Structure formats: structure tokens, C-alpha cells
């Protein structure tokens, strides 16, 4: 038969749930796999996954055929998952739409064959005998098999690295059609089989295989060195045959088929083979090689009680629209095999036809002894591909994968706390490596997805991107000798005076006048009593100055009237310390408030506090942070359902002062009660003092970003308890800032999951994030003319 039309020759007799009944009587249980991201696995991970596969498969019934199929298809990125509302969202979507990448799907099939012996003739045409019987009921034998398969898959899924999900009837039919339709899209076609070519529609097919023990070199292993990322001081690992997976960059399928045989039967057979080879009169060098390999297999089986003999077959089916391209692809595959010390077999004519047709899941029991190598299950499982594309979450921040630079959505908020318990984040990178650029990228996307932002900035890095949203942002800038316009004592009516509000105010006061003392419960109660008394006695124009004057004027009778023991509130001490902040005190300007300005920030979703001028004054910075905290509590944290992020940029400059660290720790504790997160940006983790406060902050920071650092990452790894593979990933970071696709690479760790991601952005986004240099000045001068940042960016791009 040289032409097969699928509508005439149906390979499927019936499908029930994820069970396929093939026309040859085979029963196939079908799953789809979800594998870890490429580059995310360490040497130990590969070993653990190999162990999980072995434990899962070793106890399956004799005669089971396990078929793992990895399908790699050239695709164009559709950008459907990307948002498309704002100026920068549209620019990002348009930039990546149509980009080429390889799509990978992993399937796992378990076959119960009608022919338990599994000894087929050399060529089996799967379409020759088409059975018309449709299986209505599952007999005991099939039920037992399905139960054993289910246990096996549960074991793999419990390894936590991989998950396999049952396919449904629709999916099984789609896979079948796609396979026999030669992965042509938009039309149905016939399979043309002749001596020279296998041709399906517009695609020409070919295959390479490992079909004998002679193909293998000295040894196989669970993983090997990844030469692309490994350097002198660290080793980066990849799966043993990963070079035949995603990175091959061609349309292809990797089929690994395992026949789980009876151990004793094959021991006898191998004994017989050895006997024949020993007797052989024509004892050539080839026979010696074969004898050595078979003897080695037999020794392994006899030495290991856990050994599970299998016959195996691995093939790679590949295709292209141009028949002449097949030689080029074959050459790439052979090169990969050569790296592994494996010599593949190149099937021709009938054999090639046989390999291509019988690599369909329902027919994979059709291979003969001539197509199969004999080995131990552990050996064969080294040939599994255990990773896949980068995974996009349903929503999240857009980064890029390391393989094709296509967008990947990473949910670093984790609404349902599946990966992280605290969504606080930290960005580490030396000067000039793009910290602010990365922070702009993360915050801008959060903002556009409805999250409220408060940025406490000492460098002026966020004003430009804020200007893209003219009605939604406000910048409160500190200028020497002036206040920020925040009055923590302001209330619009008496209903504002809730227990929480009094609690917040008392904390604020203690931080000002007793920052170096541990506050007792009795002291806290005393201050709250005095605050309530003040608000009930004075009906308007509340302020720190007013509160101070109230205590000063009533100091004789105040404590007696409120039944407060003098030990719990020292009036003299309070008036003395607080005199610095009122009247003609040194820092009174900080609290001079003609009116409270916080109403300005109540309806803004992007608030930037620019404290550039204050960064070297410990006292002013400390008070500023307290004032900002009071403003945040009154506005942003009023609505707990609303998501909010507070970012401390140039955090190290703020950390020079010890009481700042305590002030920030307060945010970390308070944010737990809110629907929020805190971000800090540091040049080095050593800028965080090595004390219990810092340890508490790091413990509550579960999303880590690190950019390139030429000084190394050992301190980071030590303080954050990173794994050796995390450290290898960090060391493998390489930026590409020249050529058509510029990108920076970064390490991202979300809870326990880590990988290297890229950041590539379109020109519009790049322009929006620039914070200094000539290009930035050009954009800002265009903005001054039009007062429209979007327009300024478009004009700037048109000129360049």
C-alpha cells in the first residue's frame, strides 16, 4: 500500500475517557505531560526524576508497552495571552507577535497488547487488518491493567517535578489526526509512501533510530554537562538527550518505546546469544564488540535484583516542506548523537515507512526484535526528555524565555499562595546593571493590572513612566526646609477616629519620642487615652503642634483626670523630646501644616515620594518615612481588598541609619494584614546589616530578582540559602546589549522555583524606562513642549 487515506483506514475503534481502543485490538491509556522548564533542573533533579520513572514503571505488568512521545513543532507566537489596552501593552504585544519558537507537547501512552509475546515480524502495516469490532465493556484483564497504569502515573505525579493528566476523547482524536495528517494545517491529506520518500501533504518525512545495543557507546547517564552555559568555575547540567529536544529547533518527534519483558525469558535468550557468539568460527572484531556488550548487559541483570529487562526503541521522526532540507536536519541530529557516543540507524524504504507509521501510539507494539535494543530499564530511562518550554501562568508580569525570547507570564503575586506565602520581593544588582529598568518593568505592569503603587525613591527613577498616566499619579517631592504636606493628626470627621487609627497614631508618636525604648502595654494605653481626650476636647485643626500645646496647657491635671499613673506617661520627657518638632524647634518645618495634603493621594493609584534631598539626614529621613507610613495607612490600606505595593528604591542609602531598618520592618509586619507586597532594591545583599531585623525582612521576601554581578553571587547564595543549582544559574547569566535583539538576563526565584529569564522590550517601553543620559533628556524636552509623554516617546522613536 503506497497511499493511505485516514478516512478510509481509521486507526481508532473506540475511545472511552482517556482509553483508546486501536483497530488492532490494542488498549492504550493516554496522558499528556507537564514537565519542568528547560534550564531549571540540577544534576540531582535529573537523578531524582530518573529514580521516580524507574519506581513508577518497574512494577507494570509483563507485556506492557510504554511509549513517551515528545512532539516539537515550529510555531509563530500569537501574543493572544498578552494584554492589549495601554500604549506600552500594545507596543509589547506588537513587538513579539509573529516571533518564531518551538512548541513542545509531551505525551505518555501505556499499551496493553493483544499479542502478549510482543514478537512481531519485521514489517507490520498497521492499516492492513482493520477490525470492525468496537469494545463495549472493559474485561477484568483491561481493568487490572488500567489500575496498574493509574498507580504508576500517581507515583510519577507525586515526584512533584512532573504531572501527567489524562487526555480526553477529543484530544486523542486531534493527536491522531495531526499525526497522520503530517502536521499540515488547514487541509486534510493522504500519506504517500514510496521507496524514496514518505510524503504527507506539504511535508517530507524521514527518521533516525536507536534500534540495537550496537548503537550505544560506553555509557549513558541521567544528565550531562551543558557546554553552552558551563564555564571554568561551575558546571551547568542538561538531560542526557536534551540536545534532541527543544534546542534542536526543527519540526520533529522523539519517540521512546519500552517493551517491559519477562526478566527470566530474556536472561535465557541472552545466555543463548553469548553461547552462539562464543562458538562462532568467524570470530571477527564486530562479534567481539557484540559479545562484550551482551555480556555486560547480562552481568548487570544478574548483579541487580531490581533490574527490569526491557527491549527498547528510540526514534526521531523529522520533517520539512523542502525534501532537500531533510539531509541538513539529519546531519544536526547525527551530530547530537555523536556527542553522546551513539551511532544512530538510518532506516530506508520499507523500514522507514514502518518506523513512521508504527510510532503512532496505537501501533507502537508493532516493532520486531530487529528494531529493538535489549537493556535494563534504568539504562533506557536515561534516554527520556524531562523538561519543556518555559511555562506561562494565566496572569502575571511579562518576562522572556531563555530559548526563543518569547514572552512568559510569571505570576509573582500568587493570589492563592500556591508557591509563596509572602509576596514581598527584592532586586539585587550593582550600579549600571539595570535595577531601576527592571523595577520600572515590574511596577508598570502591576500598575496597569490594577495594583496601587507607592514608591519611596531617592533617585528620581519613576517620574517619567508615571507621566504616561496623567490623571492617576502624584509625585510628592521633599524640598529642603519644607514639609511634605502630610498631617498624621488630620481627621475629616469623628468617625475617622477608629481604634485602628488611634493605634496607628500612638505607634507614630512612640517612634518619634521613644524610638530607642521598648514600649510597654501600659505606656501604649496611656498615649491612646490622651489622644482620645485631645480629639474629644478639640474639634478642629488637629496637628502635632496642636496636640503638643494641648498636653503643655493641661499638664497639671491631665494624668489625674485620665487616671494615668505618671510612670506610664512622662509629660516632662514628652514635651522635651517633641519640642524639636513643634514651634521653633529644629525640625518643626516637617510638621507645619496649613492643610493636610493626603487627600491628594487618596484617589491616586501611583504615588511617588521623592526624597532625594533628604537622603543624608538621618533625622529627617526617619521622620519622613514615619509620615509616609501614616499617609499610606490612612489612604491605601483603608481598603484591604485593593492590591498595593510599596517599593523602597536605593534602599541602601536609607539603611545607613539604624532606626530606618526598624521602620521598614514595621511595613513588613503590617503588610501581612493587607493585600499587599513590599519591594526593596539593593546593590548588594551585604548592604542589609547581618542582624535579626534584616533576617526577618529576608525571611518575608519570597520573590528574588538578581541581575548580572561581576563580583559574584556567593554572599547572595549564603544569605538567602540558595541551592547549588541556583548559584550555577546565577553564574550563567549573560546579557546581550548589541545586535537586533537586545536583552538582559536575570535570575528569578519564586518560592522554591527558580530559572533564568530575559528582559527584552520594544523601543517604546525602553524609552519609557530610561532615567538618565542624552536619550532621556531628548524625550523630556519633547515632553516639556507637548506635556504628553506618549506623544513625546512616539516623536523620539520617529527621529531615531
Amino acid at each position: 500500500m503506497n497511499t493511505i487515506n485516514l478516512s478510509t483506514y481509521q486507526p481508532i475503534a473506540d475511545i472511552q475517557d482517556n482509553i483508546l481502543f486501536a483497530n488492532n485490538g490494542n488498549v492504550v491509556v493516554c496522558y499528556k505531560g507537564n514537565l519542568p522548564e528547560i534550564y531549571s533542573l540540577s544534576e540531582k533533579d535529573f537523578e531524582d526524576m530518573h529514580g521516580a520513572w524507574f519506581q513508577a514503571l518497574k512494577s507494570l505488568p509483563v507485556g506492557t508497552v510504554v511509549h513517551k512521545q515528545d512532539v516539537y513543532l515550529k510555531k509563530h507566537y500569537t501574543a493572544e495571552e498578552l494584554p492589549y489596552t495601554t500604549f506600552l501593552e500594545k507596543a509589547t504585544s506588537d513587538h513579539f507577535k509573529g516571533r518564531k519558537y518551538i512548541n513542545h507537547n509531551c505525551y505518555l501512552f501505556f499499551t496493553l497488547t493483544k499479542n502478549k509475546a510482543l514478537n512481531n515480524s519485521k514489517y507490520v502495516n498497521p492499516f492492513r487488518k482493520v477490525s470492525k469490532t468496537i469494545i463495549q465493556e472493559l474485561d477484568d484483564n483491561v481493568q487490572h491493567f488500567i489500575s496498574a497504569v493509574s498507580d504508576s502515573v500517581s507515583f510519577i505525579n507525586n515526584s512533584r517535578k512532573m504531572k501527567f493528566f489524562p487526555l480526553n476523547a477529543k484530544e486523542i482524536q486531534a493527536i491522531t489526526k495531526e499525526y497522520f495528517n503530517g502536521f499540515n494545517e488547514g487541509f486534510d491529506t493522504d500519506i504517500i509512501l514510496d521507496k524514496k520518500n514518505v510524503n504527507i501533504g506539504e511535508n517530507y518525512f524521514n527518521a533516525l533510530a536507536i534500534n540495537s545495543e550496537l548503537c550505544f557507546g560506553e555509557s549513558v547517564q541521567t544528565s550531562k554537562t551543558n557546554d553552552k552555559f558551563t564555564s571554568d568555575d561551575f558546571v551547568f547540567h542538561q538531560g542526557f538527550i536534551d540536545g534532541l529536544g527543544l534546542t534542536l529547533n526543527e519540526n520533529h518527534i522523539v519517540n521512546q518505546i519500552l517493551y517491559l519483558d519477562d526478566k527470566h525469558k530474556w536472561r535465557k535468550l541472552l545466555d543463548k546469544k553469548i553461547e552462539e557468539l562464543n562458538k562462532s568460527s568467524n570470530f571477527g572484531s564486530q562479534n567481539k564488540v557484540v559479545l562484550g556488550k551482551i555480556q555486560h548487559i547480562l552481568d548487570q541483570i544478574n548483579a541487580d535484583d531490581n533490574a527490569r529487562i526491557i527491549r527498547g526503541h528510540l526514534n526521531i521522526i523529522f520533517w520539512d516542506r523542502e525534501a532537500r532540507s531533510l539531509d541538513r536536519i539529519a546531519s544536526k541530529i547525527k551530530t547530537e548523537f555523536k556527542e553522546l557516543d551513539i551511532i544512530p540507524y538510518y532506516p530506508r524504504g520499507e523500514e522507514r515507512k514502518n518506523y513512521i507509521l508504527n510510532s503512532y501510539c496505537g501501533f507502537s507494539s508493532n516493532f520486531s526484535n530487529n528494531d529493538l535494543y535489549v537493556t535494563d530499564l534504568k539504562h533506557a530511562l536515561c534516554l527520556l526528555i524531562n523538561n519543556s518550554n518555559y511555562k506561562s501562568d494565566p496572569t502575571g508580569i511579562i518576562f522572556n524565555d531563555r530559548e526563543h525570547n518569547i514572552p512568559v507570564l510569571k505570576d509573582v503575586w500568587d493570589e492563592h499562595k500556591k508557591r509563596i506565602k509572602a509576596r514581598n520581593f527584592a532586586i539585587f544588582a550593582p550600579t549600571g546593571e539595570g535595577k531601576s529598568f527592571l523595577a520600572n518593568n515590574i511596577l508598570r505592569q502591576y500598575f496597569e493590572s490594577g495594583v496601587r503603587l507607592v514608591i519611596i525613591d531617592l533617585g528620581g527613577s519613576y517620574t517619567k513612566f508615571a507621566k504616561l498616566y496623567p490623571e492617576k499619579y502624584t509625585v510628592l517631592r521633599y524640598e529642603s526646609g519644607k514639609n511634605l504636606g502630610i498631617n498624621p493628626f488630620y481627621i475629616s470627621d469623628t468617625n475617622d477616629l477608629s481604634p485602628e487609627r488611634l493605634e496607628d497614631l500612638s505607634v507614630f508618636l512612640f517612634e518619634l519620642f521613644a524610638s530607642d525604648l521598648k514600649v510597654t502595654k501600659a505606656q501604649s494605653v496611656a498615649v491612646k487615652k490622651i489622644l482620645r481626650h485631645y480629639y474629644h476636647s478639640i474639634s478642629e485643626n488637629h496637628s502635632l503642634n496642636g496636640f503638643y500645646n494641648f498636653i503643655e496647657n493641661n499638664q497639671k491635671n491631665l494624668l489625674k483626670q485620665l487616671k494615668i499613673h505618671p510612670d506610664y506617661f512622662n509629660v516632662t520627657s514628652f514635651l522635651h523630646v517633641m519640642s524639636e518638632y513643634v514651634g521653633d524647634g529644629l525640625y518643626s518645618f516637617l510638621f507645619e501644616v496649613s492643610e493636610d495634603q493626603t487627600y491628594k493621594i487618596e484617589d491616586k493609584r501611583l504615588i511617588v515620594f521623592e526624597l532625594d534631598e533628604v537622603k543624608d539626614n538621618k533625622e529627617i529621613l526617619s521622620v519622613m518615612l514615619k509620615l509616609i507610613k501614616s499617609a499610606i495607612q490612612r489612604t491605601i490600606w483603608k481598603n484591604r481588598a485593593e492590591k498595593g505595593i510599596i517599593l523602597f528604591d536605593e534602599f541602601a542609602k536609607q539603611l545607613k541609619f539604624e532606626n530606618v531598618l526598624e521602620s521598614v520592618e514595621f511595613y513588613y509586619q503590617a503588610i501581612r494584614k493587607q493585600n499587599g507586597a513590599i519591594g526593596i532594591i539593593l546593590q548588594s545583599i551585604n548592604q542589609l546589616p547581618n542582624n535579626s531585623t534584616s533576617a526577618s525582612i529576608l525571611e518575608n521576601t519570597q520573590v528574588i530578582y538578581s541581575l548580572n554581578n561581576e563580583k559574584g553571587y556567593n554572599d547572595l547564595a549564603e544569605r538567602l540559602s540558595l541551592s547549588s543549582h541556583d548559584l550555577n544559574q546565577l553564574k550563567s547569566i549573560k546579557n546581550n546589549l548589541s545586535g537586533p535583539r537586545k536583552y538582559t538576563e536575570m535570575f528569578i526565584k519564586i518560592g522554591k522555583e527558580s530559572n533564568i529569564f530575559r528582559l527584552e522590550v520594544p523601543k517604546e517601553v525602553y524609552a519609557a524606562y530610561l532615567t538618565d543620559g542624552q536619550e532621556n533628556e531628548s524625550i523630556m524636552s519633547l515632553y516639556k513642549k507637548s506635556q504628553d509623554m506618549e506623544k513625546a516617546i512616539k516623536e523620539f522613536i520617529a527621529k531615531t
Side-chain angles (χ1 to χ4, degrees), residues 229-294:
F229 297 122
T230 295
S231 82
D232 295 342
D233 62 336
F234 72 99
V235 177
F236 205 89
H237 283 265
Q238 65 180 55
F240 189 64
I241 69 159
D242 279 3
L244 298 165
L246 266 182
T247 53
L248 193 65
N249 245 349
E250 302 288 350
N251 285 315
H252 69 291
I253 301 173
V254 179
N255 290 294
Q256 190 178 15
I257 299 158
L258 307 176
Y259 289 34
L260 303 184
D261 287 318
D262 179 351
K263 179 173 177 174
H264 304 295
K265 175 187 143 186
W266 277 98
R267 187 182 276 156
K268 283 177 197 160
L269 232 143
L270 289 170
D271 280 334
K272 200 173 166 197
K273 258 192 176 181
I274 287 169
E275 203 180 315
E276 282 169 9
L277 282 165
N278 275 324
K279 283 181 191 166
S280 172
S281 52
N282 179 19
F283 204 87
S285 60
Q286 184 64 17
N287 281 6
K288 272 184 185 159
V289 172
V290 177
L291 178 65
K293 288 194 175 180
I294 293 171

Side-chain angles (χ1 to χ4, degrees), residues 88 137 256 331 399 412 503 609 732 739 768 790 799:
L88 296 185
E137 285 181 37
Q256 190 178 15
S331 163
F399 300 101
V412 285
E503 197 73 57
F609 293 101
S732 76
E790 186 177 323
K799 286 180 182 178

Side-chain angles (χ1 to χ4, degrees), residues 370-611:
N370 296 338
D371 305 313
L372 303 164
Y373 58 83
V374 180
T375 190
D376 175 50
L377 178 59
K378 282 181 183 171
H379 176 282
L381 291 175
C382 290
L383 305 182
L384 289 187
I385 290 176
N386 282 323
N387 53 37
S388 186
N389 296 85
Y390 277 62
K391 285 185 194 60
S392 261
D393 294 318
T395 61
I397 304 295
I398 302 166
F399 300 101
N400 302 89
D401 82 342
R402 202 177 195 180
E403 197 53 45
H404 309 101
N405 274 37
I406 57 167
V408 180
L409 292 173
K410 276 291 156 190
D411 182 1
V412 285
W413 187 268
D414 199 8
E415 186 80 48
H416 303 294
K417 299 194 174 177
K418 288 179 182 174
R419 287 190 285 221
I420 48 176
K421 290 182 175 65
R423 50 181 70 99
N424 306 319
F425 64 91
I427 297 174
F428 299 99
T431 304
E433 288 293 346
K435 290 188 296 288
S436 294
F437 195 92
L438 173 60
N440 267 291
N441 185 58
I442 295 166
L443 295 180
R444 188 268 299 178
Q445 293 182 59
Y446 266 136
F447 175 73
E448 291 184 338
S449 68
V451 178
R452 255 185 128 163
L453 302 182
V454 178
I455 300 168
I456 299 161
D457 182 23
L458 272 66
S461 305
Y462 303 92
T463 320
K464 184 142 118 276
F465 115 72
K467 285 183 166 65
L468 280 166
Y469 315 95
E471 302 302 312
K472 294 176 181 172
Y473 83 95
T474 187
V475 176
L476 297 177
R477 187 178 283 108
Y478 170 76
E479 290 173 48
S480 187
K482 294 182 183 174
N483 62 39
L484 264 186
I486 298 170
N487 175 6
F489 288 81
Y490 174 80
I491 56 168
S492 51
D493 62 57
T494 48
N495 292 336
D496 275 1
L497 207 64
S498 62
E500 287 84 8
R501 186 67 199 283
L502 283 167
E503 197 73 57
D504 292 341
L505 262 177
S506 71
V507 170
F508 174 76
L509 284 167
F510 278 118
E511 284 182 338
L512 275 182
F513 81 87
S515 58
D516 51 347
L517 301 174
K518 186 153 177 60
V519 179
T520 65
K521 176 79 173 167
Q523 289 170 308
S524 175
V525 170
V527 167
K528 281 182 278 187
K529 274 188 172 182
I530 297 167
L531 279 165
R532 276 184 78 185
H533 184 49
Y534 163 64
Y535 278 102
H536 289 148
S537 307
I538 309 288
S539 58
E540 57 186 10
N541 296 332
H542 304 108
S543 67
L544 180 64
N545 222 33
F547 182 61
Y548 182 91
N549 292 335
F550 177 75
I551 292 178
E552 192 176 37
N553 297 337
N554 295 285
Q555 59 185 305
K556 278 185 184 169
N557 303 317
L558 184 67
L559 298 186
K560 195 182 282 183
Q561 192 181 348
L562 295 175
K563 296 178 183 169
I564 296 171
H565 193 281
D567 286 355
Y568 301 146
F569 187 79
N570 187 327
V571 175
T572 315
S573 169
F574 176 83
L575 292 173
H576 172 64
V577 173
M578 298 304 279
S579 64
E580 265 206 316
Y581 304 113
V582 298
D584 57 0
L586 185 60
Y587 297 115
S588 61
F589 64 87
L590 294 171
F591 293 95
E592 276 170 12
V593 178
S594 50
E595 61 165 322
D596 180 51
Q597 302 287 307
T598 44
Y599 70 87
K600 283 186 177 176
I601 69 174
E602 280 183 9
D603 61 339
K604 302 296 183 194
R605 287 193 30 253
L606 172 51
I607 302 142
V608 184
F609 293 101
E610 280 198 356
L611 308 181

Side-chain angles (χ1 to χ4, degrees), residues 291-333:
L291 178 65
K293 288 194 175 180
I294 293 171
Q295 188 67 58
H296 179 64
I297 293 163
L298 194 59
D299 291 345
Q300 275 184 313
I301 294 160
N302 290 332
D304 185 357
D305 287 340
N306 280 329
R308 175 78 201 251
I309 296 300
I310 61 112
R311 282 175 300 158
H313 173 90
L314 182 127
N315 71 48
I316 294 164
I317 294 168
F318 52 97
W319 64 94
D320 198 271
R321 286 186 168 201
E322 303 285 333
R324 64 174 181 269
S325 292
L326 294 181
D327 287 343
R328 174 186 59 79
I329 301 168
S331 163
K332 271 171 89 170
I333 295 168

Side-chain angles (χ1 to χ4, degrees), residues 738-789:
S738 59
R741 284 190 193 174
K742 297 180 182 69
Y743 59 80
T744 51
E745 287 196 331
M746 77 207 74
F747 168 83
I748 303 179
K749 184 158 193 173
I750 307 166
K752 290 189 171 74
E753 296 174 14
S754 67
N755 211 339
I756 298 295
F757 291 81
R758 287 179 176 169
L759 181 56
E760 179 192 331
V761 297
K763 289 175 185 171
E764 294 86 342
V765 174
Y766 176 75
Y769 296 167
L770 278 178
T771 52
D772 49 26
Q774 210 172 335
E775 291 172 304
N776 185 52
E777 283 169 28
S778 305
I779 297 166
M780 291 314 287
S781 66
L782 290 167
Y783 171 74
K784 275 173 194 157
K785 286 178 203 164
S786 64
Q787 292 297 302
D788 183 330
M789 185 53 77

